[in-house]
Amino acid sequence: LLKMLLHRITSWLWDERRLILHPRKFEIRKLSQGIDFLGYVTLPNHRMLRTKTKKRMLGRVNGKNVSSYLGVLKQCEGYALRKAIVRKATMPRK
């Protein structure tokens, strides 16, 4: 259904807002796959961090940026990742 409405949507975006959808930067997906936006995947009942963002976060965590990462995690389901970040930040360096 959404594919059939795509022409009307793009016309409305241009006519009303002077906006153009970039042909390679949007995709039509099932709602169960969630909406990927700004490092999060938003699903119907909750929001979680994108897998790539989780891996990058765990690789870069240190004592200086822990509070920043914990702030990002307040916006989503990330209890286990919170624990892992705190654990990694408090580990003594060798």
Side-chain angles (χ1 to χ4, degrees):
L1 178 64
L2 192 54
K3 286 181 182 181
M4 293 185 293
L5 294 174
L6 189 58
H7 177 70
R8 289 182 61 191
I9 292 168
T10 55
S11 295
W12 183 88
L13 284 170
W14 176 251
D15 295 341
E16 301 295 324
R17 303 286 183 240
R18 293 296 186 245
L19 296 172
I20 299 172
L21 289 176
H22 193 284
R24 293 186 314 250
K25 293 187 179 181
F26 82 93
E27 59 184 313
I28 298 173
R29 298 167 42 156
K30 294 179 182 178
L31 183 60
S32 63
Q33 292 176 312
I35 298 168
D36 187 350
F37 186 67
L38 296 176
Y40 298 98
V41 176
T42 303
L43 296 161
N45 298 318
H46 66 283
R47 186 178 321 129
M48 55 194 225
L49 212 55
R50 185 187 306 142
T51 303
K52 186 176 180 179
T53 307
K54 289 179 198 175
K55 289 179 182 178
R56 187 178 322 117
M57 209 182 256
L58 277 174
R60 294 181 180 176
V61 70
N62 59 44
K64 295 179 183 176
N65 59 14
V66 172
S67 59
S68 175
Y69 287 154
L70 293 178
V72 168
L73 291 171
K74 283 184 180 180
Q75 307 302 318
C76 65
E77 305 287 328
Y79 178 74
L81 186 57
R82 261 188 225 107
K83 285 178 28 178
I85 285 175
V86 169
R87 190 176 332 115
K88 186 170 181 179
T90 57
M91 284 184 355
R93 291 190 171 224
K94 294 180 181 178

